[in-house]
Amino acid sequence: MTRRSFAARPGDPDAWIKAADDPRGRRADAIAYTARLTIDVTPDLRGRIKVTAFQRGQTVADMLRELLAGAFPAEGDAP
């Protein structure tokens, strides 16, 4: 294992993301998410999203996953 200095950029971003420590122990759930979605938002909206997630005690990713799952339910799921 090589030692990296503070703020070193990963050589392989995908491996770095998959190896990230999850303080809540949800690494098994993270494996189920295999796609990344990138959207453009204004800095103001980004700030509001982050504040709302913090107030709810959630991560931005978890909050947005729930929002998207509710807006686009799987077939057979209740709307």
Side-chain angles (χ1 to χ4, degrees):
M1 182 172 163
T2 60
R3 186 173 182 172
R4 294 183 182 162
S5 64
F6 180 76
R9 293 179 188 242
D12 180 7
D14 291 328
W16 176 72
I17 290 167
K18 291 176 184 174
D21 292 332
D22 189 347
R24 290 176 285 169
R26 296 183 337 190
R27 286 185 86 169
D29 289 345
I31 294 169
Y33 301 110
T34 59
R36 176 166 300 210
L37 176 64
T38 303
I39 61 170
D40 295 324
V41 297
T42 63
D44 182 57
L45 177 57
R46 180 177 180 261
R48 293 193 320 259
I49 292 168
K50 289 177 74 172
V51 167
T52 300
F54 178 78
Q55 289 172 337
R56 294 179 182 179
Q58 293 181 292
T59 65
V60 170
D62 288 341
M63 186 178 74
L64 292 176
R65 280 186 200 109
E66 288 179 20
L67 178 70
L68 292 169
F72 303 99
E75 289 185 30
D77 287 352

